[in-house]
Amino acid sequence: MPATLRSLLDDHALGLRMLTDADTDVPISWVHSSDLADPTPFLSPGQALLTTGTQFGERPEVDAEDADAYVARLRSRGVVALGFGTQVVRAGTPGVLVDACRHHGLPLFEVPYATSFIAVAQANAETVTRDANARNAWGLAAQRAISRAALRPDGLGATLAELSRQLDCWVGLLDATGRLDRGFPVDGIPAAEREQLEAEAGRLLRGGQRASLPVSTAHGGFTLQTLGAGGHLDGVLAIATGALDRAGREVVTAVIALAGVALQQNRALARARGLLRTGLLTVLSAGDPGLVDRTSRRLWGPLPVEPVRVAAVDIPAAQLDTVVDLLELWVQETPGQLFFAVDDDTLVLCVPEGATGPVERLTERYGLHTGLSDVADWAAFDRARAEALDALDRSRAGGSGVVRFDDLTRGGVIAHLANGDTATIARAFLAPVVEHDARTGAQLTATLRTWLEQDCEYDRAARVLGVHRHTVRARIEHAARILDRDLARFATRADVWAAFSALSGGDPPHPER
């Protein structure tokens, strides 16, 4: 039982009597006595003060203003209770002192003449000592219980559950992505509080440094404590409690150490799983999905049902661990819906044909570049992976997002000639006619492009250009001589069209006329 005003009042040997309505459960750290008019320099917050009232003078009546100022000073210093000793200077407690204590909300009790101030202080000190011993005993017992819990099969979960039981409050673990991994008791906090805790935990984790943060919610307060070493945090411990005493802090410190070790072990296991996933990816490429499926079933669940799509994702090194942790959680939540592995700097994901949501959510959440293959059976995994990598190359050329390989194929082959060195070759190929137009003001380049667009029909090209068809024919023949190519051949016409496409990326506008 902690030392409180109630514990003093309940000690019938002291014979104390309350004179004001007040919260008697307020803790009292120490009892001091003084008759100084202003004893506040010698007091600390949380203490109770005993006085005989000598500071108010020898007159029977105490000045109301003096009493009010005196109580106000005590209250501002953090004194939690005032005891007035009767029959020493005055026969009873002055009424103006009672009124002042009521006005300022300071609990006031009367100490009878037969009870010495030392007896009151000693009684409080004994209660403080008993409570400290009890808390120390509780702390040792709690740490032993938590240590035993850590030895259970699910050591981390058992440790957190035991901490929740010992502190009699909700305790939660948020993973390295800031998401609530587990809480005790289960469903112990509302969804709105969980979202607020996840947002604050995410902010702490992004900071990358060990830190503690108090969080206030609509239903109470929480303390968040990061787990792991600075620069490589493994998660956040959340405790739904206010300030802890020394014994409580020691218990929480022990749990933080145990949880940190457990999470580091989990990370070592995660690295081993990652190497295994990469090896299975190699086996898939070698054409043995059966072996991969049998291995995956024992560890994570079956491979996604074919046909599947393969995604290739660019992952910056700084985000790799966070993304992998998130994917591991998704695999646990929906077994058989996702297989992933890291190969060099590329993350490879396999999902069922119509379930590409995880790929899209991951890409959007972290602003990544992603290529997504066409549908394929597991036997054609290597082809699908190559398609995903081709689509990833196109994604890198633009903003972040998912590029689908089947969208690329619908654009045709020539539409993608602008990649690589093709544009340089195309520019050199067309240079003779472009330079000729620049020197002479002729319109051979525009005419050649329009003629090709109009399926090499002179009449149609002439109508588009607004000239006679003989003019178009003459320009085409002139361009053929400059290029030293036979434009009557299909292969030559295809080369010229490919050159125009490479310089303008697909279906380009006309050159300036």
Side-chain angles (χ1 to χ4, degrees):
M1 177 181 178
T4 63
L5 181 55
R6 181 185 298 277
S7 66
L8 291 176
L9 293 171
D10 288 345
D11 188 342
H12 298 295
L14 297 176
L16 307 181
R17 183 171 67 93
M18 281 298 296
L19 299 179
T20 61
D21 294 329
D23 178 14
T24 58
D25 291 324
V26 58
I28 297 178
S29 61
W30 194 253
V31 175
H32 188 71
S33 63
S34 173
D35 281 350
L36 292 175
D38 183 11
T40 55
F42 311 103
L43 300 175
S44 299
Q47 294 181 343
L49 178 67
L50 304 178
T51 184
T52 62
T54 304
Q55 65 272 32
F56 297 123
E58 298 180 356
R59 291 179 302 166
E61 296 297 328
V62 175
D63 185 80
E65 292 185 1
D66 289 345
D68 187 80
Y70 174 76
V71 173
R73 287 193 294 271
L74 298 182
R75 195 61 170 162
S76 63
R77 182 56 177 164
V79 172
V80 296
L82 176 64
F84 193 86
T86 62
Q87 309 302 324
V88 178
V89 177
R90 287 178 168 75
T93 303
V96 292
L97 184 61
V98 176
D99 293 340
C101 286
R102 285 177 178 152
H103 175 70
H104 291 284
L106 180 66
L108 175 66
F109 60 92
E110 193 171 76
V111 183
Y113 181 80
T115 300
S116 67
F117 284 180
I118 290 179
V120 177
Q122 184 175 358
N124 185 78
E126 290 174 351
T127 304
V128 169
T129 301
R130 284 196 303 271
D131 182 60
N133 291 337
R135 291 299 294 169
N136 288 337
W138 168 84
L140 291 174
Q143 291 187 53
R144 284 196 296 268
I146 287 169
S147 298
R148 289 194 298 269
L151 299 176
R152 297 173 192 167
D154 179 20
L156 181 56
T159 297
L160 297 177
E162 185 63 30
L163 178 63
S164 172
R165 190 179 73 81
Q166 293 291 339
L167 295 181
D168 192 24
C169 68
W170 180 86
V171 173
L173 175 67
L174 297 102
D175 60 34
T177 69
R179 183 175 178 224
L180 182 63
D181 179 70
R182 63 191 80 182
F184 302 93
V186 178
D187 299 328
I189 58 172
E193 286 194 339
R194 186 192 70 241
E195 292 172 0
Q196 184 176 350
L197 290 180
E198 289 178 339
E200 294 293 346
R203 186 166 64 84
L204 280 178
L205 292 166
R206 285 191 295 273
Q209 301 299 319
R210 297 199 63 179
S212 179
L213 177 71
V215 176
S216 297
T217 68
H219 295 84
F222 294 81
T223 298
L224 302 185
Q225 173 65 55
T226 58
L227 302 173
H232 197 97
L233 299 177
D234 296 309
V236 174
L237 179 67
I239 303 174
T241 185
L244 296 169
D245 62 6
R246 182 181 58 81
R249 290 193 300 271
E250 288 176 352
V251 171
V252 171
T253 299
V255 170
I256 289 172
L258 290 172
V261 171
L263 290 174
Q264 288 175 8
Q265 292 174 341
N266 290 347
R267 186 162 296 281
L269 289 174
R271 284 194 291 269
R273 287 196 301 266
L275 293 173
L276 179 56
R277 286 183 180 277
T278 302
L280 292 177
L281 194 68
T282 302
V283 176
L284 274 177
S285 296
D288 194 353
L291 174 60
V292 176
D293 185 58
R294 290 192 298 273
T295 305
S296 180
R297 282 177 184 274
R298 296 180 180 180
L299 297 172
W300 308 290
L303 290 178
V305 176
E306 57 186 8
V308 297
R309 290 184 186 269
V310 177
V313 187
D314 262 347
I315 298 291
Q319 292 180 312
L320 181 59
D321 287 342
T322 300
V323 170
V324 168
D325 286 341
L326 179 61
L327 291 175
E328 289 284 7
L329 291 173
W330 287 355
V331 169
Q332 293 175 19
E333 291 174 351
T334 57
Q337 295 297 305
L338 171 66
F339 175 81
F340 74 92
V342 178
D343 186 22
D344 294 330
D345 297 329
T346 304
L347 175 67
V348 179
L349 295 86
C350 305
V351 295
E353 173 189 5
T356 59
V359 175
E360 292 156 358
R361 290 201 306 273
L362 185 72
T363 302
E364 181 179 359
R365 182 168 182 170
Y366 295 100
L368 304 173
H369 294 290
T370 300
L372 190 62
S373 76
D374 203 347
V375 294
D377 292 337
W378 284 115
F381 170 79
D382 211 34
R383 170 183 63 78
R385 182 180 179 184
E387 292 176 354
L389 290 171
D390 286 343
L392 175 59
D393 286 339
R394 177 51 61 92
S395 177
R396 292 189 184 111
S400 62
V402 178
V403 173
R404 295 172 175 264
F405 184 78
D406 46 1
D407 290 340
L408 300 185
T409 57
R410 279 196 294 271
V413 176
I414 290 180
H416 305 292
L417 290 177
N419 295 330
D421 298 328
T422 311
T424 303
I425 298 172
R427 193 172 292 106
F429 182 87
L430 294 173
V433 289
V434 172
E435 292 169 359
H436 176 80
D437 285 349
R439 290 194 309 270
T440 65
Q443 298 180 16
L444 301 185
T445 305
T447 302
L448 181 57
R449 174 60 190 269
T450 303
W451 178 66
L452 291 170
E453 284 182 333
Q454 302 304 317
D455 298 328
C456 301
E457 293 187 13
Y458 294 105
D459 289 339
R460 288 170 55 185
R463 285 195 295 272
V464 171
L465 293 170
V467 299
H468 196 275
R469 63 187 180 88
H470 293 313
T471 302
V472 174
R473 184 183 298 275
R475 290 177 180 175
I476 298 302
E477 291 174 353
H478 193 183
R481 290 193 297 272
I482 293 175
L483 291 172
D484 193 20
R485 297 287 193 277
D486 184 2
L487 289 173
R489 299 179 65 247
F490 170 78
T492 304
R493 295 176 180 180
D495 273 344
V496 176
W497 176 249
F500 279 122
S501 299
L503 289 176
S504 48
D507 192 16
H510 289 280
E512 294 183 2
R513 300 187 178 96

